[in-house]
Amino acid sequence: MHVDLPSPALPQLTPRAVESHKGDYGSALLIGGSRGLSGAIALAGMAAVRTGAGLVRLAVPDRCLETVAQFSPCSMTIPLTDDSAGRICIHELEALSPWFEKASCIAIGPGLGQSRALTTLVKMLIRHTLAPMVIDADGLNNLSESSIWKQIPPGKLILTPHPGEWSRLCKVPAHQREAQCAAAIEFAKQSQCVVVLKGARTLVTDGETAAWNSTGTPAMATGGSGDVLTGVITALVCQGLSVREAAHLGVHAHGMAGELAERELDSHVILPTELIAYLPKAFSRLAQP
């Protein structure tokens, strides 16, 4: 697809200072999970830790807390009241408020589920939180039920839809890739947010620039890979990258980790946990001159 927009250079993480501490690398708050979908938010949290966020907190329905916590001891969990289906209740926005002030970046969506209450919760989060926010998966599906997605505060959000999720938002069929990319660029320009439109060559755009990702492999086409990307991007924002820079570098490193895993494991399928395990090698290669 030809687009007359500049393609920015790949961003880089600043090397860590010898005297640095966890407070220098931000605090990530990831909201999601529901009964039967605990793995998604756990994977996003594990990826955020592995990518380098100083602190990672996972806000999950109370009935999912132990399940999520057992995946990794490296993140903290925040129990939230759940409904009869095991989804976060709407009134938990007030309970989350103290954590918003501590967050360098917020992500919502992995394993969240869908309901009218969650649509309201996503809408209220967008309106009332100041931190940059990554919206993925069911965060996007709930957002598509509300007209607020067309009135997003500028410079704040990263949307990470796959073609089906983007179709629900922009009403362009998933199989019309060029039209979907054009809609993503136009929306990003009008809203001043960043859109990561996933695909074989994922598009990252803020409406002023457009980068098509060159890394990745079909071996990553398995459930949970997108949750890992959410955690990666969230952690990069926590470490001081702008929303556009975090999305661009995150997509590239995520795909590179998949390539490295496929090559070294000699497998036609790369599990999300394997993607996470290969993130350090990907970032190490990207840091080399």
Side-chain angles (χ1 to χ4, degrees):
M1 177 182 177
H2 175 74
V3 174
D4 191 21
L5 289 176
S7 180
L10 186 68
Q12 295 291 321
L13 275 175
T14 302
R16 296 193 169 201
V18 173
E19 67 276 13
S20 62
H21 56 82
K22 63 187 178 185
D24 295 324
Y25 303 111
S27 175
L29 174 63
L30 296 94
I31 306 167
S34 58
R35 185 177 182 181
L37 295 171
S38 299
I41 191 67
L43 287 168
M46 292 163 65
V49 171
R50 185 70 272 184
T51 302
L55 288 168
V56 176
R57 297 181 175 93
L58 307 180
V60 300
D62 188 48
R63 75 178 70 194
C64 300
L65 187 140
E66 285 77 13
T67 302
V68 171
Q70 65 86 29
F71 277 88
S72 171
C74 299
S75 55
M76 293 165 278
T77 49
I78 302 169
L80 303 174
T81 304
D82 47 18
D83 63 18
S84 60
R87 300 169 301 208
I88 297 169
C89 288
I90 177 59
H91 66 264
E92 285 301 332
L93 183 66
E94 185 175 345
L96 281 168
S97 293
W99 302 106
F100 294 155
E101 298 175 6
K102 300 178 181 180
S104 307
C105 185
I106 299 168
I108 185 166
L112 186 69
Q114 291 179 255
S115 68
R116 289 184 180 179
L118 288 171
T119 295
T120 302
L121 178 63
V122 173
K123 183 191 308 183
M124 293 173 70
L125 276 170
I126 291 172
R127 283 178 172 169
H128 298 295
T129 58
L130 298 177
M133 188 180 304
V134 181
I135 304 182
D136 183 37
D138 279 333
L140 294 167
N141 291 328
N142 282 291
L143 189 61
S144 69
E145 299 298 319
S146 169
S147 61
I148 193 178
W149 82 276
K150 297 180 179 178
Q151 299 141 20
I152 289 172
K156 173 180 174 179
L157 298 186
I158 303 171
L159 307 184
T160 62
H162 60 53
E165 291 161 347
W166 188 234
S167 178
R168 286 188 280 277
L169 284 164
C170 74
K171 309 307 179 187
V172 177
H175 66 276
Q176 296 181 11
R177 181 67 178 178
E178 288 196 12
Q180 282 210 332
C181 288
I185 291 168
E186 182 60 25
F187 173 71
K189 182 177 182 179
Q190 295 299 322
S191 65
Q192 298 179 49
C193 75
V194 173
V195 178
V196 176
L197 181 56
K198 300 172 187 174
R201 293 191 69 209
T202 294
L203 167 66
V204 180
T205 183
D206 60 359
E208 301 297 328
T209 63
W212 272 269
N213 189 48
S214 60
T215 62
T217 164
M220 298 165 64
T222 186
S225 294
D227 303 312
V228 172
L229 179 61
T230 295
V232 170
I233 294 174
T234 302
L236 292 174
V237 175
C238 286
Q239 292 171 86
L241 273 67
S242 70
V243 289
R244 186 202 63 77
E245 292 171 333
H248 189 178
L249 179 58
V251 167
H252 189 90
H254 178 258
M256 181 178 285
E259 291 177 354
L260 292 168
E262 180 185 42
R263 187 177 308 124
E264 295 191 14
L265 298 176
D266 192 24
S267 174
H268 73 293
V269 175
I270 301 304
L271 303 181
T273 47
E274 293 166 341
L275 261 183
I276 294 168
Y278 277 83
L279 285 170
K281 184 168 285 190
F283 280 106
S284 177
R285 291 202 176 188
L286 289 170
Q288 295 173 6

